[in-house]
Amino acid sequence: MNDSDTSAILPEEFAPSVRDETPDADASSLDADMPSGSPVRCGRPPFPCPLPVSVEPVLFLCMFSLALQMPLYTQYLWDRISEDLGYNGTKAGGCQNSSGQPDPLEKEVATQTARWSLYISLAGFGVGLVVVTLLGSWSDRVGRRRLLVVPSLGLALQAGVYLAVMYLRLGVAWLLLGRLLSGLSGDFNAVLAGCFAHAGDTSARRSRTFRVAVLEATLGLAGMLASVVGGNWRRAQGYINPFWLALACNLAAALYAWLFVRDTVTPDPGARLLSGEHHRAVLRLFGPRGKGGRGPLLWLYTLCFFLVVLVHSGSRELYVLFELSPPLCWGPQMVGYGSAALHLAYLSSLLGLRVLQLGLDDSWVALLGLASNCAALLVISNAATTALMFTGYGLNFLSMASTPVLRSKLSKLVESSQQGALFASVACVESLCSLVASGVFMSLYPATLHVFKGFPFLFGALILLIPASIIGAIRCREMRGAHDGTS
């Protein structure tokens, strides 16, 4: 099947990604909706994929691998440190009332597990922060395919190191090596940057928000599947086999990216990876001299994205603790149902966004998504029964519609030659959100537990009023400017 045949069967959102390098009348009409300065489409993969997908399989496989590993390596840390310290007890559930004194050895195990988890997270974040901005800007000159292959192989190395630690019974400090290797390749943030930059390259402006939402729904679907598979598999067969699957997923993602993902940038033979120009390109992007005076808008939308993802990450970490403790006292099965209901918001938000776009501007869709998130957090903060908790999850059905809108608005503010640098920066912001959310919400929960258990969720709802106000103000200003221009 040739490219022209492929284009005929693809939906409009994906059509630009499979255009022939020789422009024709149809391609020119599509280019009218692309940002100015769009790079020449090139880089035919060895085996062009005839299906209406491009980078979705890469994102799915890497996200599935990551979501599968994260809870398992934390549990492995707990078990290994318990074994090293000679602790044979089990972690008490939140609904078990015991009048005895807490075991000091269990406290030491919990402390060391938390400490090593922090070390591993900070190692990956610190190294990845520098590397992902380097790789993102580099991909603007050499193509997106390499930006997808390199971090996928790095994530495979990380899984390989974890397996070596388990097989050889090495100290937990060796887990740090795997995280550093992944960080040196850009980590999962580089995969995010490559996938969203590819979407920015290949989608028309009018369909970009939905194209980005498809990628975010892919993240949710992979996370939901991994959360269901990981815990049950670990109980049945231990840690090693799930990590073999994680390794295979990352290798498959790298192979798929190299063989099937079409490059969207004309490679520059003189582009060097180790160059300070890549980081300077990121600084120029957000500098005061941004093209057309768009620097302030970039900062405002980035702030909105930071606050929204901060609440998403912080509340997600607390849901399980909230469900395990009184008065809900959920067991593992109910926690799994709750996790599945939470991840379903990705799919329902995708459907809701598609329907709402038929009659509303993207900004109003984002505001409705924030309203959905606020309503869900308010209900969950007061949830004392299972029915009320799932009511909160139901109200969350449109909560993930705001982030694709914000990503799309950021993408439309920059040139096509800056998409890699932009989404590398956005990925770093997203990673920073996870660290800040852990510090803020995990500190707030025990501090307010005996006053108002659901206060962190109420706090999250209040934070969301800030991006809602900014988005609403920018949209009202745009409408006023359009009215003045036509009057």
Side-chain angles (χ1 to χ4, degrees):
M1 180 178 291
N2 58 31
D3 286 353
S4 60
D5 294 335
T6 304
S7 299
I9 67 172
L10 293 181
E12 180 258 344
E13 288 84 357
F14 300 94
S17 64
V18 292
R19 292 178 298 171
D20 196 278
E21 286 80 355
T22 304
D24 53 20
D26 293 334
S28 300
S29 64
L30 285 168
D31 284 337
D33 285 323
M34 300 294 285
S36 60
S38 178
V40 177
R41 302 299 189 258
C42 69
R44 181 190 301 272
F47 304 99
C49 184
L51 300 177
V53 294
S54 53
V55 293
E56 286 82 4
V58 179
L59 191 60
F60 179 88
L61 289 168
C62 289
M63 180 62 193
F64 180 84
S65 170
L66 185 68
L68 186 66
Q69 291 180 71
M70 285 181 65
L72 292 182
Y73 95 79
T74 303
Q75 295 175 60
Y76 180 78
L77 271 175
W78 175 276
D79 290 345
R80 279 298 308 275
I81 293 173
S82 297
E83 181 181 333
D84 293 343
L85 295 179
Y87 174 67
N88 296 319
T90 58
K91 200 174 182 180
C95 290
Q96 295 180 357
N97 296 318
S98 175
S99 57
Q101 295 294 325
D103 189 340
L105 200 54
E106 179 183 352
K107 184 177 179 181
E108 178 63 20
V109 171
T111 301
Q112 288 202 25
T113 301
R115 183 181 300 149
W116 277 108
S117 295
L118 178 62
Y119 292 161
I120 292 171
S121 297
L122 288 178
F125 173 76
V127 177
L129 184 66
V130 177
V131 176
V132 72
T133 51
L134 182 74
L135 290 175
S137 183
W138 179 61
S139 74
D140 287 329
R141 303 186 64 184
V142 301
R144 312 298 182 202
R145 196 189 305 168
R146 299 184 195 183
L147 181 57
L148 297 174
V149 172
V150 171
S152 298
L153 293 177
L155 289 168
L157 280 175
Q158 174 181 287
V161 171
Y162 287 1
L163 282 168
V165 170
M166 295 173 191
Y167 273 113
L168 302 177
R169 309 291 297 172
L170 302 175
V172 295
W174 285 95
L175 296 174
L176 193 63
L177 174 62
R179 198 72 183 89
L180 286 172
L181 289 174
S182 178
L184 287 171
S185 67
D187 202 35
F188 182 66
N189 289 332
V191 177
L192 287 176
C195 290
F196 285 112
H198 190 280
D201 291 338
T202 59
S203 60
R205 291 176 66 87
R206 62 180 178 271
S207 61
R208 187 164 305 168
T209 301
F210 182 73
R211 183 73 179 85
V212 170
V214 169
L215 292 178
E216 294 216 357
T218 302
L219 290 172
L221 184 63
M224 180 172 61
L225 183 60
S227 64
V228 172
V229 170
N232 294 327
W233 198 0
R234 180 255 171 185
R235 284 192 296 271
Q237 296 185 346
Y239 294 103
I240 290 179
N241 287 340
F243 275 89
W244 273 115
L245 177 60
L247 174 63
C249 284
N250 292 132
L251 292 176
L255 185 63
Y256 174 90
W258 185 254
L259 294 180
F260 296 106
V261 173
R262 186 186 184 93
D263 231 335
T264 56
V265 176
T266 303
D268 180 1
R272 293 184 296 117
L273 174 59
L274 300 178
S275 172
E277 178 59 28
H278 300 314
H279 288 115
R280 287 193 291 270
V282 174
L283 295 177
R284 285 196 299 269
L285 191 66
F286 289 89
R289 298 182 180 179
K291 184 173 181 179
R294 293 176 176 178
L297 279 180
L298 278 174
W299 280 106
L300 285 174
Y301 281 131
T302 301
L303 174 62
C304 291
F305 183 82
F306 174 84
L307 294 174
V308 171
V309 177
L310 177 72
V311 174
H312 286 172
S313 300
S315 57
R316 191 179 296 119
E317 291 190 10
L318 290 181
Y319 284 140
V320 175
L321 292 177
F322 192 80
E323 293 161 356
L324 290 174
S325 59
L328 294 177
C329 294
W330 284 6
Q333 187 176 24
M334 288 302 299
V335 170
Y337 291 151
S339 177
L342 180 64
H343 283 92
L344 278 176
Y346 285 91
L347 301 179
S348 60
S349 295
L350 175 65
L351 178 61
L353 185 145
R354 188 59 162 172
V355 173
L356 291 171
Q357 279 187 319
L358 298 176
L360 293 176
D361 180 81
D362 284 353
S363 296
W364 302 127
V365 176
L367 290 176
L368 288 175
L370 293 174
S372 170
N373 203 350
C374 286
L377 290 172
L378 289 174
V379 171
I380 290 174
S381 68
N382 293 281
T385 64
T386 296
L388 198 57
M389 190 70 187
F390 276 102
T391 299
Y393 281 139
L395 291 172
N396 216 35
F397 77 103
L398 200 59
S399 62
M400 300 309 298
S402 53
T403 47
V405 169
L406 291 170
R407 289 186 200 268
S408 175
K409 286 186 174 293
L410 287 167
S411 175
K412 293 174 184 178
L413 287 173
V414 303
E415 304 291 347
S416 291
S417 59
Q418 298 173 310
Q419 296 291 326
L422 171 70
F423 282 111
S425 304
V426 171
C428 289
V429 170
E430 199 165 358
S431 182
L432 179 62
C433 284
S434 299
L435 289 179
V436 175
S438 297
V440 173
F441 283 82
M442 283 300 186
S443 299
L444 199 59
Y445 183 73
T448 60
L449 186 60
H450 300 292
V451 179
F452 177 37
K453 181 184 175 184
F455 179 78
F457 301 117
L458 179 61
F459 176 70
L462 292 174
I463 289 179
L464 291 180
L465 296 179
I466 300 175
S469 301
I470 294 174
I471 294 171
I474 293 175
R475 180 55 186 160
C476 289
R477 182 182 176 185
E478 290 173 349
M479 293 174 64
R480 186 164 57 249
H483 175 74
D484 292 342
T486 56
S487 59

